[in-house]
């Protein structure tokens, strides 16, 4: 058997961020923050932007569902942002085609809810009409004016006109008062249970039958649609609105639209050449909102709850206990106990394990985090007894093992086998609780030779004894 050769982690050439912390817990009591996650469709998701930043920036837990890793999804078109950078507007900018596509999505949602075509047309016409720039009142509620006078005496009009490359022109920017009052970037958090979702409706008065039908539909389906209905005032409704104000705030976008104008010239032969395409930005509500949230793997979620104690997972409005999570995760994923033991071990050694499905393994091990180093190891975890016998999850022949190793080596990684050794006298009742982790031993080996058997530092950690 050849001698094992372990190579140092390969650092990335370009690093655009600073390393903050290995875990989302602080050394002092004042730095501790309890995050919240929800169990939705057998997945653990984090909705709060503050919790998402806390969990990902400190330890790189989870992954944004609309991004490669870090949850930084934005509906704004980068090319349009650079094109209109002189406007100094902190709002998403999209093309007219993309906006019409979202209108069609919203139309399909309304039709599924039972609205007739006439009501759908009225709702969408009212909801997608051009608006003034949204601003923030003293109470913090987002509003939208129907005229320039609503914004104050010095406010500019919303439509930003700009000529195309054939006819250069100046960009009409909004006033400093408008920028100061809050031309904000649209909020992207929301309810992932009904993702994708549509934003709140317009406040414009609609016919009585449309408002009543839309209000019933909102209450029945439990999510937001561009229905134009007004919520009834009351103490319960006010508390509900304050709790979900950021989720239900309408999302404003700037839509780049084109308009053609005829230059006043006498020569009619060049009439077609006299048409000048002008571009303008029009502020509208986004009729179909797509939300970005952080999705945690089952191992990451249980580690944050059990080992660090900085996360609470809710099912509906009820927080789940550690024993309940251990039971539920084992039912959702039969190999959860094995993979979590391996995840806990490598996290305790300072590695950042991520899902290794792309390379056909259980985990990829990163030093410090994916932004700083390439993955060093590709790990397969197996649960065996004292004699290294048991029902293996993935029986490997020499041919399949060689092929898996070749795939891993071609990606500049090393294949690692992680054996979790349980005592032969351990019963299934003991395995039904996380207390079984205290009796588990670990042996890791690379493709060539094994390493010594180690006993894991199982149990819950506190801020004072982090590794």
């Amino acid at each position: 058997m050849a001698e094992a050769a372990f190579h140092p982690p390969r650092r990335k050439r370009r690093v655009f961020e600073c390393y903050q912390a290995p875990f989302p817990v602080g050394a002092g009591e004042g730095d501790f923050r309890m995050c919240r996650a929800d169990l939705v469709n057998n997945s653990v998701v984090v909705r709060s932007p503050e919790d998402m930043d806390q969990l990902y920036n400190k330890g790189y837990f989870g992954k944004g569902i609309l991004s490669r890793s870090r949850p930084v999804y934005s509906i704004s078109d980068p090319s349009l942002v650079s094109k209109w950078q002189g406007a100094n507007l902190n709002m998403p900018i999209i093309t007219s085609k993309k906006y019409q596509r979202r209108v069609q999505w919203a139309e399909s949602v309304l039709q599924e809810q039972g609205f007739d075509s006439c009501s759908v047309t009225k709702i969408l016409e009212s909801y997608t009409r051009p608006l003034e720039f949204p601003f923030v009142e003293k109470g913090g509620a987002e509003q939208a004016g129907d005229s320039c006078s609503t914004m104050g005496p010095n406010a500019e009009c919303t439509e930003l006109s700009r000529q195309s490359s054939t006819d250069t022109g100046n960009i009409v920017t909004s006033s400093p008062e408008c920028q100061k009052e809050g031309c904000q970037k649209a909020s992207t958090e929301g309810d992932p249970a009904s993702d994708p979702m549509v934003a709140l409706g317009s406040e414009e008065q609609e016919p009585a039958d449309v408002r009543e039908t839309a209000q019933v539909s909102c209450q029945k389906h439990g999510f937001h649609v561009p229905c134009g209905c007004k919520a009834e005032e009351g103490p319960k409704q006010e508390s509900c609105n304050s709790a979900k104000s950021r989720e239900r705030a309408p999302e404003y976008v700037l839509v780049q639209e084109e308009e053609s104008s005829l230059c006043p010239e006498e020569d009619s032969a060049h009439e077609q050449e006299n048409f000048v395409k002008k571009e303008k930005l029009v502020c509208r509500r986004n009729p179909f909102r797509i939300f970005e949230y952080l999705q945690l793997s089952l191992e990451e979620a249980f580690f944050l709850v059990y080992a660090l104690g900085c996360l609470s997972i809710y099912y509906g409005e009820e927080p789940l206990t550690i024993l309940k999570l251990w039971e539920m995760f084992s039912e959702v994923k039969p190999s959860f106990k094995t993979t979590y033991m391996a995840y806990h071990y490598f996290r305790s050694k300072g590695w950042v394990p991520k899902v290794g499905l792309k390379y056909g393994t259980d985990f990829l091990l990163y030093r410090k985090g994916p932004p700083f180093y390439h993955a060093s190891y590709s790990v397969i975890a197996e649960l065996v007894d004292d004699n290294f016998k048991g029902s293996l999850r993935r029986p490997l022949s020499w041919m399949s093992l060689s092929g898996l190793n070749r795939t891993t080596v071609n990606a500049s990684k090393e294949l690692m086998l992680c054996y979790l050794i349980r005592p032969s006298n351990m019963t299934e009742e003991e395995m039904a609780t996380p207390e079984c982790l205290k009796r588990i031993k670990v042996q890791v080996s690379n493709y060539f030779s094994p390493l010594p058997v180690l006993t894991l530092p199982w149990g819950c950690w506190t801020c004072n004894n982090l590794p």
Side-chain angles (χ1 to χ4, degrees), residues 131-133 148 154-160 172-175 281:
L131 297 173
E132 300 300 322
F133 290 118
C148 295
N154 296 327
E156 297 290 345
C157 193
T158 54
E159 297 185 357
L160 304 178
V172 181
T173 60
S174 59
S175 64
L281 293 182

Side-chain angles (χ1 to χ4, degrees), residues 130-419:
L131 297 173
E132 300 300 322
F133 290 118
F135 65 97
V136 178
E137 292 181 345
K138 293 182 179 179
E142 250 185 40
Q143 302 289 337
D146 293 333
S147 63
C148 295
S149 60
T150 309
M151 299 295 298
N154 296 327
E156 297 290 345
C157 193
T158 54
E159 297 185 357
L160 304 178
S161 299
R162 167 179 174 163
Q163 293 186 357
S164 61
S165 58
T166 59
D167 185 15
T168 58
N170 296 327
I171 302 175
V172 181
T173 60
S174 59
S175 64
E177 287 79 9
C178 175
Q179 299 175 5
K180 183 178 181 181
E181 288 293 329
C183 295
Q184 298 178 343
K185 184 178 181 180
S187 174
T188 56
E189 73 274 5
D191 187 2
S194 54
D195 179 42
M197 193 184 299
V198 189
L200 276 177
S202 169
E203 297 182 356
E204 184 183 2
Q205 294 290 339
E206 293 289 340
D209 55 345
V210 177
R211 291 200 308 270
E212 293 177 359
T213 306
Q215 184 174 356
V216 172
S217 178
C218 286
Q219 297 174 356
K220 179 179 179 181
H221 293 272
F223 59 90
H224 319 312
V225 295
C227 55
C229 58
K230 287 187 176 181
E232 297 180 358
E233 296 181 357
K236 294 183 179 180
Q237 187 66 30
E238 290 178 358
S239 61
C240 180
N241 290 340
S242 61
K244 298 183 179 181
S245 59
R246 298 191 65 183
E247 292 185 8
R248 298 187 175 184
E251 178 181 298
Y252 299 97
V253 295
L254 294 176
V255 184
Q256 178 179 276
E257 299 181 354
E258 294 183 357
E259 59 179 2
S260 300
S261 61
L262 181 62
C263 294
E265 295 185 7
E266 298 179 356
D267 190 2
S268 59
H270 301 282
E271 183 176 353
Q272 295 182 354
E273 299 179 359
N274 296 333
F275 279 97
V276 178
K277 290 184 179 180
K278 293 184 179 180
E279 297 172 349
K280 61 179 180 178
L281 293 182
V282 182
C283 182
R284 301 179 186 270
R285 289 188 182 92
N286 186 6
F288 197 88
R289 298 176 62 186
I290 302 177
F291 302 95
E292 167 85 305
Y293 56 83
L294 188 70
Q295 183 172 3
L296 300 173
S297 66
L298 300 183
E299 293 80 10
E300 291 174 329
F302 194 82
F303 181 83
L304 292 170
V305 175
Y306 173 72
L308 299 181
C310 64
L311 181 68
S312 295
I313 301 179
Y314 286 75
Y315 183 71
E317 296 299 328
E318 178 184 0
L320 301 176
T321 62
I322 294 178
L323 294 178
K324 187 63 176 179
L325 288 174
W326 182 264
E327 178 183 355
M328 294 180 64
F329 289 173
S330 299
E331 293 178 358
V332 173
K333 185 178 180 180
S335 62
F336 168 74
K337 298 176 183 178
T338 303
T339 54
Y340 176 74
M341 293 174 186
Y343 182 91
H344 192 126
Y345 171 76
F346 290 114
R347 269 288 183 180
S348 66
K349 295 299 181 181
W351 294 96
V352 179
K354 305 299 288 187
V355 178
L357 183 62
K358 182 178 180 180
Y359 297 98
T361 57
D362 295 318
F363 297 110
L364 296 176
L365 298 186
Y366 293 86
R367 171 174 167 79
K368 297 178 69 174
F372 307 100
Y373 290 88
H374 295 279
S376 300
Y377 299 101
S378 188
V379 181
I380 296 178
E382 292 287 357
L383 182 64
V384 296
D385 57 12
D386 293 336
N387 299 320
F388 283 82
K389 296 181 180 180
S391 56
L392 300 180
R393 299 186 303 113
R394 186 185 306 181
L396 295 174
S397 62
W398 281 109
M399 183 177 296
S400 60
L401 183 61
S402 177
L404 185 60
N405 181 71
R406 179 67 177 269
T407 304
T408 305
V409 171
N410 288 343
S412 300
K413 299 171 180 54
E414 296 183 46
L415 183 62
M416 178 181 292
L417 305 178
C418 178
Y419 293 100

Side-chain angles (χ1 to χ4, degrees), residues 446-463:
N446 68 348
Y447 179 65
F448 298 102
S449 65
L451 296 180
V453 178
L454 302 175
T455 302
L456 274 69
W458 299 116
C460 300
W461 290 336
T462 61
C463 297

Side-chain angles (χ1 to χ4, degrees), residues 64-98:
I65 62 163
L66 301 176
S67 308
R68 292 190 60 184
S69 54
R70 182 182 298 277
V72 291
Y73 168 77
S74 175
I75 66 173
S76 188
D77 192 340
S79 60
L80 293 182
V81 172
S82 60
K83 180 179 181 180
W84 291 91
Q85 59 183 354
N88 296 325
L89 294 173
N90 192 20
M91 295 177 63
I93 305 177
I94 60 176
T95 60
S96 179
K97 292 183 179 180
K98 290 185 178 180

